């Protein structure tokens, strides 16, 4: 466990376009095995810096839970910071694991792959494209069947994966 304290900038729960500074003290898992869970647990012990009221406790957790974003780039679907409930529903923790050190290699998907990166940083270059798709720890990623690409791993990868 790690103990954190100090100011933090978070989206306002009533208007996510407003970023506010708050003071917080939190206990979060020090394990990097569950990056999305750590992001949500960050709000435990939240206190508004202008008052000691506990009525705002949990707002950071709620904001973080709603901060999941889904994008699609060059056929690759990426959900950043998926809710833990989705990971549980998909059974991600029961999927096989795979990892590799920093490297560069070609890959072709013979079937659709969904993976959840526990750690690492990768740029995936679909064949015929000079623009890479960046993925990293905490991302839930879907690669379409038939896609050929090059993986450029800049930080060692550890991921759960599932082929359809």
């Amino acid at each position: 466990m790690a103990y954190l304290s100090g100011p933090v900038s978070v989206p306002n729960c009533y208007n996510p376009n407003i970023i506010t500074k708050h003071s917080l003290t939190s206990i979060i898992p020090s394990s990097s095995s569950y990056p999305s869970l750590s992001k949500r647990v960050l709000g435990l012990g939240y206190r508004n810096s202008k008052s000691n009221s506990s009525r705002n406790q949990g707002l950071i957790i709620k904001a973080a839970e709603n901060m999941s974003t889904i994008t699609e780039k060059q056929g690759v679907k990426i959900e950043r910071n998926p809710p833990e409930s989705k990971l549980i529903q998909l059974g991600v923790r029961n999927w096989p694991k795979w990892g590799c050190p920093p490297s560069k290699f070609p890959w072709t998907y013979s079937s659709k792959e969904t993976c959840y990166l526990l750690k690492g940083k990768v740029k995936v270059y679909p064949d015929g494209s000079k623009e890479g798709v960046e993925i990293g720890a905490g991302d839930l990623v879907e690669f379409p069947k038939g896609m050929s690409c090059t993986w450029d791993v800049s930080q060692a990868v550890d991921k759960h994966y599932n082929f359809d």
Side-chain angles (χ1 to χ4, degrees), residues 102-119:
S103 54
K104 191 172 185 177
F105 56 90
W107 188 256
T108 298
Y109 293 91
S110 56
S111 57
K112 181 179 93 171
E113 178 187 345
T114 304
C115 64
Y116 179 68
L117 277 79
L118 299 169
K119 67 178 184 178

Side-chain angles (χ1 to χ4, degrees), residues 18 28 32-33 35 44 62 65 68 70 76-77 81 83 91 94 99 106 110-111 113 122 128-129 145:
I18 298 172
I28 63 170
S32 62
S33 296
L44 290 176
K62 184 172 173 52
E65 190 72 35
S68 173
I70 301 173
V76 178
K77 292 180 187 174
N81 191 31
N94 297 319
S110 56
S111 57
E113 178 187 345
V122 180
S129 175
K145 178 181 178 176

Side-chain angles (χ1 to χ4, degrees), residues 73-74 124-133 147-150:
K73 188 174 181 183
Q74 300 184 48
V124 178
Y125 293 89
D127 283 0
S129 175
K130 292 182 181 182
E131 188 178 348
V133 177
M147 174 184 234
S148 292
C149 59
T150 299

